[in-house]
């Protein structure tokens, strides 16, 4: 923008300067010419009274010498003789004598003015005033140089002023851009100092208002999440009581373990909701120490295998023996695995087989979950929050969490058709 403003100022002022400079230059040249030719005509006119009194060569020569010291006056006497050096063509002199006509003409050497003087007895003398070509343009080049320097100064000054104004505008817009990028990266404390033209000042003030509103809305959202999570403690307490009534049976122990894990997850949610936002999956940046994808998947699959056995689901597993470290929090990775396997249990009939596989590629660790269910009707819309992969009963949060986690780990989410006939969900994580 700064360069564009300077270029516009250069173009506009150059055109304005040229529109004045060219006519002014021509006018200066014409004025210089008129000045010297008028002086020559006046010298020729001053010699006419002398010729009216006498045409003696000595008298005329003395008068010419008094009026001109540069050999620029000459007189053609009535007898054809000359006083001084003539510069006009012979034909022009004959014409002035014959027609008694005043002539002015340009020659190769300069400018010539012929003024006939009619004497008694029908005699004619001709006074010639000569101006050399150099005198016609004397001082013109100097005037043109001064005008050119003034024009260049005006153009340069306008460009400098435009550049300074452009620098102010650019500085304000760049500050607003940096603040916008910082806010988009998760820096909620960034603000701008309104500066520059009134429009950019208004934009800066609007940005600050927007940032304050974003912070306010996020605070409200965190409190709502914390409150909703806290409300779940009541049914969890009821489950604890029911497990106690069941005694020391294996089912009671499983219920107690599941409720304890759910309570720990709720505590984590409440703590995270009431903590200022930090870099993490929600902000698009991975956090936490490196963890092994295969180990986390195996641990969560052991948890889900109990329910799979109860529902007569065949579960196939395949884990690479090679290391699969990713710079991703173990709890977040476990949430991704639970979301994927939970979708299988939630959206396929009991008895539907599924398979879980962990592979290692050059730069990625791949987690693939296949099932033999009905599949996903719209794979593109499935990761959208609020869209259920099964067409009903779901909130669409599961695959949305998976998609954001994959993006945070420099990977991606792919949804397609499984070789088992159902859905295939593949998540890639960048290796640490």
């Amino acid at each position: 923008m700064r360069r564009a403003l300077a270029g516009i100022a250069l173009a506009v002022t150059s055109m304005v300067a040229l529109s004045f400079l060219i006519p002014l230059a021509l006018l200066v040249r014409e004025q210089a010419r008129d000045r010297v030719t008028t002086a020559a005509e006046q010298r020729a006119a001053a010699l006419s009274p002398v010729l009216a009194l006498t045409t003696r060569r000595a008298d005329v020569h003395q008068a010419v010498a008094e009026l001109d010291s540069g050999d620029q006056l000459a007189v053609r006497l009535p007898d054809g003789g000359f006083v001084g050096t003539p510069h006009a063509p012979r034909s022009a002199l004959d014409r002035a004598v014959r027609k008694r006509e005043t002539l002015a003409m340009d020659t190769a050497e300069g400018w010539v003015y012929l003024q006939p003087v009619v004497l008694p007895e029908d005699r004619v003398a001709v006074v010639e005033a000569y101006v050399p070509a150099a005198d016609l343009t004397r001082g013109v080049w100097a005037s043109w140089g001064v005008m050119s320097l003034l024009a260049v100064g005006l153009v340069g000054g306008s460009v400098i002023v435009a550049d300074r104004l452009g620098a102010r505008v650019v500085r304000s817009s760049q500050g607003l851009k940096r603040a916008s990028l910082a806010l988009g990266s998760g820096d909620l404390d960034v603000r701008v100092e309104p500066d520059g033209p009134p429009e950019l000042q208004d934009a800066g003030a609007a940005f600050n208002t927007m940032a304050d509103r974003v912070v306010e809305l996020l605070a409200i959202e965190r409190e709502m999440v914390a409150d909703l999570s806290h409300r779940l403690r009541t049914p969890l307490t009821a489950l604890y009581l029911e497990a106690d009534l069941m005694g020391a049976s294996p089912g009671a122990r499983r219920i107690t373990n599941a409720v304890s894990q759910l309570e720990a997850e709720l505590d984590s949610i409440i703590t995270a909701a009431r903590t200022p936002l930090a870099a993490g999956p929600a902000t698009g940046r991975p956090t936490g120490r490196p963890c092994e994808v295969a180990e986390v998947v195996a641990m969560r699959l052991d948890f889900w295998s109990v329910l799979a056995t109860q529902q007569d689901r065949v579960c196939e597993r395949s884990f690479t023996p090679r290391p699969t470290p990713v710079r991703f929090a173990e709890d977040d990775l476990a949430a991704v695995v639970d979301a994927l396997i939970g979708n299988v249990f939630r959206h396929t009939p009991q008895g539907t087989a599924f398979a879980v596989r962990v592979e290692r590629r050059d730069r990625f660790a791949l987690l693939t979950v296949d099932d033999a269910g009905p599949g996903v009707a719209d794979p593109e819309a499935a990761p959208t929050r609020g869209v259920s992969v099964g067409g009903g009963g779901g909130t669409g949060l599961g695959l949305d969490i998976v998609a954001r986690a994959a993006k945070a780990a420099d990977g991606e989410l792919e949804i397609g058709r499984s070789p088992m006939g159902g859905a295939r969900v593949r998540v890639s994580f960048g290796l640490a």
Side-chain angles (χ1 to χ4, degrees):
M1 180 184 294
R2 181 176 176 180
R3 184 178 298 177
L5 290 176
I8 292 173
L10 175 63
V12 172
T13 53
S14 297
M15 288 188 293
V16 172
L18 288 176
S19 65
F20 283 96
L21 186 61
I22 294 175
L24 188 60
L26 296 176
L27 180 61
V28 167
R29 187 180 66 179
E30 292 299 323
Q31 286 183 340
R33 180 186 177 92
D34 290 344
R35 185 180 66 252
V36 295
T37 55
T38 300
E41 291 176 0
Q42 291 175 352
R43 289 195 301 270
L47 196 58
S48 298
V50 176
L51 293 174
L53 296 175
T54 178
T55 58
R56 290 178 55 197
R57 182 179 298 271
D59 297 337
V60 174
H61 187 274
Q62 183 180 358
V64 169
E66 292 176 356
L67 292 174
D68 175 44
S69 60
D71 195 25
Q72 295 182 5
L73 274 179
V75 178
R76 183 183 184 277
L77 298 173
D79 58 2
F82 287 94
V83 175
T85 304
H87 296 84
R90 174 71 64 176
S91 58
L93 289 170
D94 294 341
R95 178 181 173 182
V97 172
R98 184 175 62 255
K99 295 185 176 182
R100 295 170 174 77
E101 180 181 357
T102 300
L103 300 177
M105 65 186 68
D106 290 310
T107 65
E109 299 176 352
W111 181 82
V112 175
Y113 175 75
L114 300 178
Q115 180 178 331
V117 180
V118 181
L119 302 175
E121 300 179 1
D122 200 26
R123 294 181 303 159
V124 178
V126 178
V127 179
E128 175 188 303
Y130 166 71
V131 179
D135 292 348
L136 292 174
T137 57
R138 187 181 303 277
V140 172
W141 290 103
S143 299
W144 286 1
V146 172
M147 290 188 296
S148 298
L149 290 177
L150 289 175
V152 171
L154 290 175
V155 172
S158 65
V159 171
I160 293 174
V161 172
D163 180 72
R164 293 295 90 200
L165 294 176
R168 184 185 177 196
V169 174
V170 170
R171 184 170 56 251
S172 301
S173 60
Q174 286 180 345
L176 187 59
K177 173 188 173 183
R178 287 192 296 267
S180 300
L181 293 176
L183 182 63
S185 300
D187 185 2
L188 301 181
D189 295 328
V190 66
R191 297 294 184 273
V192 298
E193 186 68 28
D195 190 17
E199 293 79 5
L200 285 179
Q201 293 183 14
D202 294 341
F207 174 85
N208 291 338
T209 303
M210 178 192 68
D212 293 338
R213 183 58 176 165
V214 168
V215 173
E216 180 183 353
L217 291 176
L218 288 176
I220 294 174
E221 182 179 2
R222 289 197 297 269
E223 287 299 324
M224 290 180 61
V225 171
D227 292 343
L228 291 175
S229 302
H230 193 273
R231 293 179 187 178
L232 293 177
R233 292 186 180 276
T234 300
L236 286 180
T237 303
L239 287 176
Y240 268 128
L241 295 176
E242 291 294 332
D244 289 340
L245 294 176
M246 292 175 65
S249 62
R253 287 196 299 271
R254 288 197 298 270
I255 292 176
T256 302
N257 292 335
V259 172
S260 298
Q261 183 179 4
L262 182 56
E263 187 174 16
E265 292 291 339
L266 286 177
D267 290 337
S268 300
I269 292 174
I270 293 173
T271 302
R274 287 179 173 170
T275 302
L277 290 179
T283 60
R285 297 181 63 86
T287 61
R289 293 178 298 176
C291 66
E292 285 287 337
V293 176
E295 293 180 1
V296 176
V297 174
M299 179 184 65
R300 298 313 301 160
L301 191 57
D302 291 340
F303 171 82
W304 287 96
S305 62
V306 177
L307 182 59
T309 302
Q310 293 178 353
Q311 294 186 2
D312 297 326
R313 296 178 183 268
V314 177
C315 176
E316 300 178 4
R317 64 177 68 191
S318 174
F319 298 146
T320 177
R322 301 170 61 191
T324 54
V326 294
R327 192 169 297 279
F328 203 67
E330 183 176 334
D331 293 341
D332 293 331
L333 182 58
V336 170
V337 178
D338 289 342
L340 295 177
I341 300 179
N343 276 340
V344 175
F345 282 83
R346 188 175 299 110
H347 299 294
T348 61
Q350 294 189 16
T352 301
F354 67 98
V356 179
R357 183 168 62 255
V358 177
E359 305 171 87
R360 172 168 174 159
R361 299 290 173 85
D362 293 337
R363 294 180 297 171
F364 296 95
L366 297 180
L367 169 62
T368 305
V369 177
D370 294 324
D371 65 64
V376 179
D378 190 356
E380 294 184 359
T384 305
R385 179 172 296 206
V387 178
S388 174
V389 297
T395 61
L397 288 175
L399 289 181
D400 177 66
I401 293 174
V402 175
R404 289 188 293 116
K407 182 179 179 181
D410 297 328
E412 60 181 7
L413 169 66
E414 297 179 5
I415 302 175
R417 177 63 64 176
S418 167
M420 303 175 67
R424 159 170 284 188
V425 181
R426 171 170 289 175
V427 188
S428 61
F429 303 92
L431 292 174

